[in-house]
């Protein structure tokens, strides 16, 4: 009896996934636990491993195709026999049992097949690294991992690509063909996910952004005061984003309309606070989630933020670590941005955009003084939150910095 390879469920909210790339082909011998395909959902990219050893059958799902959770992607037959055909009902999440293999199958045509030893020798790489390698034309077999362990990261691939480009520029490797700068690049992988979700967010919600400039003197002073102790306790630098997460978590308890998500024809207001912190990647954006922030100390927030951000950049996040946020913060201050309009991260009803902290001239009691200020931009779904509650939240956030408690 052939063994089914199905689209896995990566998180409670996942309903479908996209087959990004097959790493093995029909007729290949595969080993149980070996990575045979790369998939992506609306949250994260992951890998599909062989549920049994044997010969991989004809794929029922093509690369780039989106199918329901539980869909049969392919079958794995007995080693040494002909590869099983693609199951006809593969795209259904509740597919029937596959038809039994032929009683007397004909020998498969001779073709190169991977052995267990060959599978073990395949480069170990994160899904993000495999995607970047495809886009940059880098052979993973030529990339050496630099992080702990032997898994290649996307950063390893980019460094290898820089070496290839440098060799081409200096005349080394005359056979190398430069990539065409005018090449059309289709949305794939995480870039396709971002494109789909952002367009859906704008189409399906009534978004309005409330913006204000806030005195950042208290925030700057608090970071300077806490920086040495936090660094000693955690080994990480305290950032303004950490202090924002701390303040937002406290204030959302007082402003429950913003700590909410869309739920059918209504809104679900949450008691827990789960803050998503946007992390920019080379080719997209991902939002790891710090769960139960209301119960965490500042040190715990720093540790969680650093851990999630580091693993986000190498494509090593679990599905539950990018799911079920109740509020999102996106900070572009490090890029020199002053003001921008963040787009809602569905199904949340609010997202806070933070610009750079800079010294600016402001009028205070009739005098012009220079002090650090920051622009805050809060986008809300107007169906769930009106302008006044949004403005009240920003006012409270600015006040929290002046009196951090």
């Amino acid at each position: 009896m052939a063994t089914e390879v199905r689209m896995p469920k990566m998180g409670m909210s996942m309903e479908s996934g996209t087959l990004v790339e097959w790493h093995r082909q029909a007729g290949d011998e595969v080993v149980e636990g070996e990575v045979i395909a790369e998939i992506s959902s609306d949250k994260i990219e992951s890998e599909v491993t062989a549920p049994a050893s044997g010969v991989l059958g004809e794929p029922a799902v093509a690369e780039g195709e989106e199918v329901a959770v539980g869909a049969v992607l392919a079958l794995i037959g007995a080693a040494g026999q002909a590869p099983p055909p693609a199951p006809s009902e593969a795209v259904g999440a509740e597919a029937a049992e596959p038809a039994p293999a032929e009683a007397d199958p004909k020998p498969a045509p001779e073709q190169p097949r991977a052995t267990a030893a060959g599978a073990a020798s395949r480069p170990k790489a994160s899904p993000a690294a495999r995607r970047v390698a495809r886009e940059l034309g880098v052979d993973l077999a030529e990339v050496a991992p630099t992080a702990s362990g032997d898994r290649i990261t996307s950063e390893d691939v980019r460094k290898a690509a820089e070496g290839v480009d440098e060799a081409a520029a200096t005349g080394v490797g005359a056979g190398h063909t430069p990539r065409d700068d005018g090449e059309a690049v289709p949305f794939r992988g995480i870039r396709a996910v971002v494109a789909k979700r952002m367009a859906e967010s704008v189409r399906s919600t009534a978004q309005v952004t409330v913006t204000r400039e806030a005195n950042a003197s208290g925030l700057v002073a608090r970071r300077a005061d806490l920086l040495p102790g936090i660094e000693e306790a955690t080994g990480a630098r305290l950032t303004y984003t950490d202090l924002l997460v701390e303040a937002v978590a406290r204030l959302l308890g007082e402003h429950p309309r913003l700590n909410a998500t869309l739920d059918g024809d209504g809104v679900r207001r949450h008691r827990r606070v789960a803050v998503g912190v946007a992390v920019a990647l080379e080719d997209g954006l991902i939002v790891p989630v710090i769960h139960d922030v209301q119960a965490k100390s500042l040190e715990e927030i720093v540790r969680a933020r650093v851990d999630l951000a580091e693993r986000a950049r190498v494509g090593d996040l679990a599905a539950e670590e990018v799911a079920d946020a109740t509020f999102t913060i996106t900070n572009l201050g490090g890029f020199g941005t002053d003001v921008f309009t963040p787009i809602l991260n569905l199904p949340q009803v609010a997202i806070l955009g933070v610009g750079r902290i800079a010294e600016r001239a402001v009028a205070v009691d009739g005098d012009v003084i220079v002090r650090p200020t920051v622009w805050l931009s809060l986008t809300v779904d107007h169906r769930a939150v009106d302008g006044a509650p949004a403005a009240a939240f920003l006012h409270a956030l600015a006040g929290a910095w002046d009196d951090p408690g």
Side-chain angles (χ1 to χ4, degrees):
M1 176 67 71
T3 302
E4 296 173 335
V5 180
R6 290 182 175 269
M7 174 66 72
K9 187 176 181 68
M10 301 179 294
M12 294 299 294
S13 62
M14 178 178 171
E15 297 180 353
S16 64
T18 300
L19 195 294
V20 177
E21 180 184 11
W22 282 104
H23 294 319
R24 307 306 301 276
Q25 305 302 317
D28 286 350
E29 293 280 358
V30 297
V31 179
E32 182 177 357
E34 174 189 355
V35 176
I36 58 175
E38 180 182 337
I39 60 173
S40 68
S41 71
D42 62 347
K43 296 287 186 181
I44 198 169
E45 295 187 349
S46 188
E47 296 168 334
V48 176
T49 58
S53 298
V55 60
L56 183 64
E58 294 292 336
V61 177
E63 293 182 352
E65 185 176 351
E66 182 176 356
V67 294
V69 166
V72 181
L73 306 178
L75 300 176
I76 296 177
Q81 295 187 355
S88 59
E89 32 54 282
V91 297
E94 300 177 358
E97 288 292 323
E102 295 176 17
D104 184 20
K106 297 179 180 179
E110 290 296 326
Q111 55 180 304
R113 290 183 178 179
T115 63
S121 67
R122 283 174 55 83
K124 294 182 180 179
S126 67
R130 294 186 184 279
R131 183 185 66 252
V132 173
R134 289 195 305 271
E135 294 171 354
L136 298 183
V138 174
D139 183 357
L140 286 174
E142 303 297 325
V143 180
T146 57
S148 58
D150 58 353
R151 200 179 198 209
I152 298 169
T153 68
S154 56
E155 186 62 27
D156 295 332
V157 176
R158 293 189 182 96
K159 288 180 181 178
E162 291 173 1
V164 171
D165 290 342
E166 182 178 350
T170 57
V172 179
H176 174 70
T177 302
R179 291 180 297 278
D180 181 8
D181 289 339
E183 178 185 3
V185 179
F187 291 147
R188 292 192 63 183
I190 194 169
R191 187 70 257 166
V193 172
V194 171
K196 177 181 177 181
R197 288 182 62 82
M198 292 300 97
E200 179 187 355
S201 176
V202 173
R203 286 195 305 266
S204 63
T205 58
Q207 301 194 25
V208 61
T209 302
V210 180
T211 302
R212 65 162 289 170
E213 185 180 17
N215 177 11
S217 301
L219 179 62
V220 173
R222 179 168 168 76
R223 179 176 181 269
D225 182 53
L226 296 176
L227 185 62
I230 293 294
E231 188 166 6
E232 181 179 356
T234 66
R237 296 279 291 179
L238 176 67
T239 68
Y240 291 119
T241 296
D242 298 321
L243 295 173
L244 283 163
V245 171
E246 179 191 46
V248 163
R250 184 174 69 250
L251 290 173
L252 285 176
E254 304 168 10
H255 299 263
R257 297 180 186 180
L258 300 180
N259 191 45
T261 54
L262 300 173
D263 187 2
D265 292 331
V267 172
R268 180 178 296 276
R269 296 177 181 174
H270 300 278
R271 296 183 182 88
R272 63 180 178 86
V273 177
V275 179
V277 180
V279 175
L281 305 179
E282 184 71 20
D283 55 352
L285 180 74
I286 195 166
V287 186
V289 182
I290 305 176
H291 290 279
D292 298 313
V293 189
Q294 78 284 354
K296 284 182 167 57
S297 66
L298 182 57
E299 290 181 6
E300 291 172 324
I301 291 172
V302 173
R303 289 192 181 97
R305 189 264 308 165
V306 170
D307 175 61
L308 290 168
E310 288 179 348
R311 289 191 291 113
R313 293 188 177 99
V314 298
D316 197 28
L317 290 174
E320 59 270 17
E321 292 174 320
V322 292
D324 302 325
T326 61
F327 188 93
T328 292
I329 296 175
T330 175
N331 189 342
L332 293 181
F335 298 95
T337 299
D338 289 319
V339 185
F340 63 102
T341 304
I343 297 177
L344 288 175
N345 186 17
L346 295 178
Q348 299 155 46
V349 302
I351 180 172
L352 177 67
V354 183
R356 69 183 175 120
I357 296 175
E359 290 194 342
R360 298 179 175 94
V362 296
V364 179
D365 297 328
D367 295 323
V368 176
I369 65 172
V370 175
R371 69 183 183 192
T373 68
V374 61
W375 283 93
L376 305 173
S377 303
L378 182 70
T379 297
V380 298
D381 189 337
H382 212 325
R383 297 174 303 170
V385 184
D386 294 328
F393 175 82
L394 286 185
H395 180 75
L397 183 58
W401 298 339
D402 293 333
D403 184 19

